[in-house]
Amino acid sequence: QGSRRMLERMEGDVPATLRGALEETAKQALRAGDIIRHLREFVTRGDTDKAPEDIKHLIEEAGALALVGSRERGVKSVFDFSDAGGLVLADRVQIQQVLVNLMRNAMEAMKDSYRKELTVRTRPTANGRMAVEVEDTGPGIADDIAPTLFQPFVTTKSNGMGIGLSISKRIIESHGGELTVARNHAGGATFAFSLPLLPEDGVEHD
């Protein structure tokens, strides 16, 4: 904000352009702070703020953040949404952070792959939930890592902290689901979780 005020005293097209960029930077910094606070409250107290949410909208918003630069990396993104509509009961900020984490992990896993395809898929389950899958065409998860992958400080990245999947697992469990990983037909990893679907009559009543 201080840099933006300094630019207000300057004239020309360049300062105007930079002012807009700095305003967006400030806005995103505040948003990041809100996400960190929200996740910190969850980690320390298990707090969630669940509400009816459109799962398609949640995924698209998360994808807009997670997939920045994906084309430059040669990653093809596919969103395969189920025709079955309905709302899920979810904490929007927390579930979007899980999605962002899974999508970014997938992109990182495919950095050395010849085929780079990221698929996010939704489908209703028989027990009244909406399953979400994030699938990549990377090398998959090594057998010796898979059993401990969701534990804190376990990571397959050279510069990773190993807390993203651990927190993601806790978030999904707080929504009554389970975060799992399996090798897919392409040899990559498919991370999956589910969220409770709201019955249509319940939505109309609300």
Side-chain angles (χ1 to χ4, degrees), residues 35 38-39 42 48-51 53-55 57-59 61-63 88-103 129-130 132 134 167-177 193-196:
I35 291 170
H38 205 72
L39 290 178
F42 170 74
T48 59
D49 187 16
K50 298 186 182 76
E53 300 286 352
D54 183 334
I55 188 61
H57 186 58
L58 282 181
I59 292 172
E61 275 195 344
V88 296
L89 187 63
D91 184 308
R92 181 180 61 83
V93 172
Q94 290 179 2
I95 293 301
Q96 285 191 331
Q97 284 309 113
V98 171
L99 288 164
V100 167
N101 187 42
L102 294 179
M103 290 186 212
R129 297 178 70 86
M130 180 66 78
V132 181
V134 179
I167 294 177
S168 295
K169 179 177 183 290
R170 288 188 58 187
I171 288 173
I172 297 305
E173 288 174 349
S174 76
H175 286 73
F193 63 89
S194 67
L195 298 169

Side-chain angles (χ1 to χ4, degrees), residues 67-85:
L67 300 176
V68 171
S70 61
R71 290 183 181 178
E72 290 77 4
R73 298 188 192 185
V75 176
K76 177 184 178 184
S77 305
V78 178
F79 292 94
D80 181 12
F81 295 120
S82 166
D83 292 334

Side-chain angles (χ1 to χ4, degrees), residues 37 105 115 128 168 185:
R37 177 186 57 78
N105 283 352
R115 179 187 172 200
S168 295
H185 65 281

Side-chain angles (χ1 to χ4, degrees), residues 177-200:
E178 183 182 6
L179 181 59
T180 63
V181 63
R183 186 175 293 275
N184 57 47
H185 65 281
T190 297
F191 286 83
F193 63 89
S194 67
L195 298 169
L197 271 169
L198 288 174
E200 292 185 10

Side-chain angles (χ1 to χ4, degrees), residues 104-113 136-140 156-157 189:
R104 285 182 174 162
N105 283 352
M107 287 174 57
E108 179 70 18
M110 296 186 291
K111 65 180 180 180
D112 297 323
S113 299
D136 66 55
T137 55
T156 59
K157 301 178 184 178

Side-chain angles (χ1 to χ4, degrees), residues 111-139:
K111 65 180 180 180
D112 297 323
S113 299
Y114 174 75
R115 179 187 172 200
K116 301 178 181 180
E117 187 168 313
L118 169 63
T119 302
V120 183
R121 184 179 297 107
T122 64
R123 56 179 177 80
T125 67
N127 61 345
R129 297 178 70 86
M130 180 66 78
V132 181
E133 297 177 351
V134 179
E135 179 179 290
D136 66 55
T137 55

